[in-house]
Amino acid sequence: MDTQLALLMAAVLLDALLGDPDYPLHPIRLLGHVSIALERRLFDRGWTGRIAGAMHGLAVTMGALAAWWLMHLALAALHPVLAWLWDLYIAYSLLCARDLVAHGWRVLAVLDDLPAAREQLGWLVSRDTEGLDRGGVVRATIESLAENLTDGVLTPLWALALFGLPGLIVAKAVSSLDSMVGYRTERYWRFGCAAARSDDLLHWLPARLSVPLLAAAAALLGQHWREVLPAARRYHAALPSPNSGWSEAAAAGALRVRLAGPVSYHGAWQDKPWMGDDAWPVDLTGDDLRRALRLVAVAAGLAALVAVVLFLVTRG
């Protein structure tokens, strides 16, 4: 078997069996520390504009690639197997399909204990969770699962399949930078522009491909697959993001539920429109969340199959 195909399949299998490793030296945590340190140095010098933000993102991304490659070369000098195991460790650490679904199951497990459910939800979302009722907790969890299906599963998997480990590292670096500095706040409005635009470009195609993927998953599960495409077309623009609305609207169609709606961030309410037909329920239950978890898990499995096909097609 091709060593790169073996790397892809082994990384997917390890992620499915073990989930994302949680320890202080996780590559994403290290990248975050480097990003924060460099950001502070730039801001201390008054470099807070768009060019400085672009330099910051490029330096962090290239630094991540360099750290991986230098270790790869050092281990390859000792034995090729050691270099391959290092690559597998990085690839496995940067995939997080199981972890995404596991977070959703944790919310479901404590859904009858509303304070505990809100606390678990806080690990998934950035919105205010204190005032959410049970239906609001379920809606927020489903929205996060659907959105992160694109950002956390499809893009990384397909980047690894198409562009190898460097592609995966770049994809995760761009996503991480966007989550750290890509905000429309006074501090990051200009500095984080490059990170936000890069993230939008990175996920543009996977976000739209999430629609047929979710339709296929819904069909396999006996859910409302015929509603997926119409819902995605009609409701994807309900969110300001150019990407996240596609998978969320598709999930709303597959489950025949209403998502989004008014939401609070940092104490300020935003009057977002609803996703879904007016006749679809908005007061969701644990059964709805359970269906959503199965939908996302099957979609992630299909995404892994697509990744293998992409690898085989592009590598001849």
Side-chain angles (χ1 to χ4, degrees):
M1 180 184 292
D2 183 285
T3 57
Q4 293 304 305
L5 178 58
L7 175 71
L8 170 64
M9 296 178 67
V12 169
L13 183 61
L14 283 175
D15 177 55
L17 293 176
L18 304 178
D20 195 30
D22 183 14
Y23 59 98
L25 296 180
H26 190 287
I28 294 299
R29 290 189 181 183
L30 294 177
L31 183 144
H33 293 322
V34 171
S35 173
I36 292 170
L38 181 57
E39 175 192 331
R40 287 174 178 167
R41 293 178 71 90
L42 291 172
F43 271 73
D44 287 344
R45 288 164 173 74
W47 296 355
T48 62
R50 295 174 187 267
I51 294 178
M55 292 171 54
H56 169 266
L58 184 61
V60 172
T61 302
M62 295 305 295
L65 283 170
W68 157 69
W69 183 239
L70 289 174
M71 180 62 74
H72 177 93
L73 289 178
L75 292 173
L78 298 175
H79 198 284
V81 172
L82 293 176
W84 187 86
L85 290 174
W86 163 250
D87 290 353
L88 176 59
Y89 159 75
I90 295 296
Y92 155 61
S93 297
L94 298 183
L95 298 179
C96 59
R98 180 187 174 100
D99 206 48
L100 172 63
V101 176
H103 276 303
W105 281 108
R106 291 188 193 109
V107 175
L108 180 62
V110 296
L111 193 57
D112 291 333
D113 182 352
L114 195 53
R118 291 168 178 161
E119 182 179 355
Q120 286 294 331
L121 176 62
W123 290 95
L124 278 172
V125 301
S126 58
R127 72 185 67 184
D128 300 330
T129 62
E130 293 81 3
L132 293 177
D133 59 13
R134 177 173 162 142
V137 169
V138 172
R139 285 197 311 275
T141 305
I142 294 175
E143 291 165 28
S144 180
L145 290 169
E147 178 183 358
N148 284 291
L149 175 66
T150 295
D151 298 355
V153 179
L154 306 190
T155 300
L157 258 178
W158 296 344
L160 177 60
L162 290 172
F163 307 109
L165 194 49
L168 173 58
I169 292 171
V170 169
K172 293 298 289 189
V174 169
S175 290
S176 299
L177 287 165
D178 177 64
S179 68
M180 297 181 72
V181 303
Y183 296 104
R184 295 183 178 182
T185 61
E186 183 178 353
R187 179 178 178 88
Y188 294 126
W189 181 264
R190 297 172 66 240
F191 185 84
C193 182
R197 297 291 81 80
S198 298
D199 188 74
D200 289 343
L201 181 62
L202 175 71
H203 300 300
W204 191 91
L205 185 57
R208 285 144 184 84
L209 293 177
S210 70
V211 177
L213 193 73
L214 284 166
L220 290 173
L221 291 168
Q223 296 180 0
H224 305 282
W225 63 272
R226 291 184 179 86
E227 302 280 5
V228 171
L229 183 57
R233 285 176 172 172
R234 184 174 181 182
Y235 300 112
H236 74 271
L239 300 182
S241 167
N243 296 324
S244 58
W246 288 96
S247 55
E248 290 190 33
L255 302 169
R256 284 180 63 91
V257 300
R258 279 198 291 169
L259 301 176
V263 63
S264 174
Y265 289 98
H266 310 295
W269 280 93
Q270 298 182 16
D271 191 22
K272 293 183 180 180
W274 291 98
M275 286 181 169
D277 191 275
D278 290 344
W280 296 352
V282 67
D283 187 17
L284 307 186
T285 68
D287 287 339
D288 296 308
L289 179 52
R290 190 173 290 105
R291 290 191 299 127
L293 285 163
R294 290 170 180 160
L295 178 70
V296 170
V298 171
L302 292 175
L305 292 177
V306 170
V308 173
V309 172
L310 286 173
F311 180 93
L312 294 174
V313 169
T314 56
R315 305 298 173 93

